[in-house]
Amino acid sequence: TLYIRVHSARKFQNFARIYGQLRFKWVVGVVSNPPPVNSQPCSATPLTLGAPCPGGGTAGTTEFACNIPGMPDPACGGFSGSAQDVWYTFTAPATGTVFIEGAPTAAPGAANPAMALYSTGGNGCNGRFTLVECDAAEGAGTDARIIRSGLVPGQTYYLRVWSEATNGPFTICVREPVPAASHCYYLIDLGYVGGPGSHSMNVS
């Protein structure tokens, strides 16, 4: 069931004729370019942990996608109300640490993906979506990359992907970083805020 609300635009509130008649037309037909199935969180595409990053993973596209209102704004990757996004899900591994990467395909007109990670506190797609992290360019080149620890093992997380420029195909993958035998795993996150300059890090 769809509900359609029609009202006078705010900029016309000072006009003499605020209200009046209108004509509304509803057409039922075949959609030539239907949106991707995963244009909504509740129909998100499940991702399998372990897909190779980068260069592998699951193929996707932002072409003809929709933007679902009411979600927390990612605030990165040039996201706006006109962005066309698609959704994915994955289950957090036992370590609670994941490596997620989105990259354009080699095809002409490929998307330059940006992505945002959301949690619903284990309440599925009908829960309250909380933004966990957003990224557009921390990967190789212009690739999007999120390395996140502290996720709740066994809990479902949602990944929102859109393009910073042209809508088109991309690949996305998520894996659990696993250290070699007899080695430990550490996550060191170095960020830079404001102004021109550079930064580097040495771990020994």
Side-chain angles (χ1 to χ4, degrees), residues 84-156:
Q84 297 173 220
D85 54 29
V86 287
W87 291 83
Y88 297 86
T89 62
F90 67 88
T91 302
T95 59
T97 301
V98 292
F99 179 106
I100 310 166
E101 186 160 44
T105 64
N112 180 18
M115 59 188 179
L117 179 63
Y118 292 85
S119 169
T120 61
N123 295 311
C125 69
N126 292 316
R128 185 188 188 100
F129 279 71
T130 302
L131 179 65
V132 177
E133 187 169 342
C134 184
D135 181 68
E138 284 193 8
T142 59
D143 295 359
R145 177 183 293 169
I146 293 176
I147 302 175
R148 189 76 187 188
S149 61
L151 302 184
V152 179
Q155 196 168 106
T156 298

Side-chain angles (χ1 to χ4, degrees), residues 1-6 24 26:
T1 301
L2 301 177
Y3 296 88
I4 300 174
R5 182 181 187 182
V6 182
F24 181 79
W26 175 265

